[in-house]
């Protein structure tokens, strides 16, 4: 299995009491080719994605937040969610508390989680309600989790989920993990694999 792109059709702002945690220069535009995932090579059939965990971390102090922080919503990009076999899949957003200045890490303290069932999507930003609180002086890790579509579909039938992003700039790295499909248990900066223009849209909002 290998990471692959697919060609298919930290800035903080405050509105009233809400604070937005974002590392994306462009927050709303998903472009083709900016999302990556652990996937089969497509040798026995169409390219199919395995387990994938995409993440970002946000140190509260970097966004002028000096107290504890409670997340209300998370936004994430979808480049391609194509489900010719499965029809629908579950997407989970997990919230973790990690030390200030820390990148996403495996085994962090889970403080909130929410799931949604989705059919096919492409080139859009999804907003999910998810609640979780972290302490002052820490960082928030936001993770978007995909099911193992290869295992669920029973083979290489073209079921894929590629997170969405763009190449317009970011103020901190984007990370991916895939313990089963790619033997990658720890979140790893996608630039380490040569994907320097893959800037995942993962944004948290709260107070």
């Amino acid at each position: 299995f290998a990471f692959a792109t697919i060609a298919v059709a930290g800035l903080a702002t405050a509105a009233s009491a809400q604070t937005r945690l974002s590392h994306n220069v462009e927050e709303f535009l998903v472009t083709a080719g900016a999302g990556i995932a652990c996937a089969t090579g497509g040798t026995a059939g169409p390219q199919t994605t395995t387990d994938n965990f995409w993440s970002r971390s946000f140190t509260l102090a970097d966004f002028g937040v000096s107290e504890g922080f409670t997340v209300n919503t998370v936004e994430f990009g979808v480049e391609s969610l194509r489900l010719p076999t499965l029809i629908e899949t579950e997407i989970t957003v997990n919230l973790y508390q990690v030390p200030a200045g820390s990148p996403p890490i495996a085994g962090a303290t889970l403080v909130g989680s929410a799931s949604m069932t989705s059919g096919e999507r492409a080139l859009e930003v999804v907003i999910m309600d998810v609640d979780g609180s972290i302490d002052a002086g820490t960082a928030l890790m936001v993770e978007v989790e995909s099911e193992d579509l290869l295992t669920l579909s029973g083979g290489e039938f073209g079921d894929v989920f590629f997170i969405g992003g763009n190449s317009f700039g970011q103020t901190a790295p984007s990370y991916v993990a895939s313990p089963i499909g790619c033997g990658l248990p720890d979140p790893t900066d996608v630039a380490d694999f040569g994907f320097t223009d893959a800037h995942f849209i993962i944004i948290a909002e709260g107070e």
Side-chain angles (χ1 to χ4, degrees), residues 43-70:
T43 54
Q47 186 180 55
T48 304
T49 54
T50 64
D51 60 318
N52 283 278
F53 300 81
W54 302 280
S55 58
R56 284 189 178 277
S57 65
F58 307 90
T59 295
L60 294 182
D62 292 345
F63 297 87
V65 178
S66 58
E67 300 179 350
F69 189 78
T70 298

Side-chain angles (χ1 to χ4, degrees), residues 7-85:
V8 296
L11 304 175
T13 58
S16 66
Q18 295 292 298
T19 297
R20 192 170 175 85
L21 307 182
S22 171
H23 288 305
N24 295 94
V25 173
E26 169 53 62
E27 299 180 349
F28 307 106
L29 180 62
V30 177
T31 57
I36 71 164
C38 183
T40 65
T43 54
Q47 186 180 55
T48 304
T49 54
T50 64
D51 60 318
N52 283 278
F53 300 81
W54 302 280
S55 58
R56 284 189 178 277
S57 65
F58 307 90
T59 295
L60 294 182
D62 292 345
F63 297 87
V65 178
S66 58
E67 300 179 350
F69 189 78
T70 298
V71 178
N72 304 130
T73 61
V74 166
E75 302 171 27
F76 60 90
V78 176
E79 178 176 336
S80 177
L81 177 54
R82 192 170 64 248
L83 303 165
T85 304

Side-chain angles (χ1 to χ4, degrees), residues 6-189:
I6 185 168
V8 296
L11 304 175
T13 58
S16 66
Q18 295 292 298
T19 297
R20 192 170 175 85
L21 307 182
S22 171
H23 288 305
N24 295 94
V25 173
E26 169 53 62
E27 299 180 349
F28 307 106
L29 180 62
V30 177
T31 57
I36 71 164
C38 183
T40 65
T43 54
Q47 186 180 55
T48 304
T49 54
T50 64
D51 60 318
N52 283 278
F53 300 81
W54 302 280
S55 58
R56 284 189 178 277
S57 65
F58 307 90
T59 295
L60 294 182
D62 292 345
F63 297 87
V65 178
S66 58
E67 300 179 350
F69 189 78
T70 298
V71 178
N72 304 130
T73 61
V74 166
E75 302 171 27
F76 60 90
V78 176
E79 178 176 336
S80 177
L81 177 54
R82 192 170 64 248
L83 303 165
T85 304
L86 296 172
I87 309 302
E88 62 183 20
T89 187
E90 185 171 83
I91 302 169
T92 300
V93 171
N94 299 311
L95 306 176
Y96 302 90
Q97 177 173 296
V98 296
S102 172
I105 56 176
T109 302
L110 182 69
V111 298
S113 185
S115 298
M116 64 177 283
T117 300
S118 178
E120 293 190 340
R121 298 173 180 268
L123 301 178
E124 65 177 285
V125 175
V126 176
I127 302 175
M128 278 185 63
D129 293 330
V130 53
D131 295 319
S133 298
I134 62 171
D135 299 331
T138 65
L140 173 70
M141 172 181 164
V142 182
E143 176 184 76
V144 179
E145 175 184 349
S146 169
E147 295 183 294
D148 184 343
L149 303 185
L150 176 66
T151 298
L152 289 176
S153 64
E156 290 185 338
F157 299 115
D159 295 271
V160 297
F161 178 19
F162 284 83
I163 197 162
N166 55 59
S167 60
F168 296 116
Q170 59 182 1
T171 56
S174 301
Y175 293 81
V176 66
S178 177
I180 299 172
C182 282
L184 192 67
D186 297 315
T188 302
D189 184 348

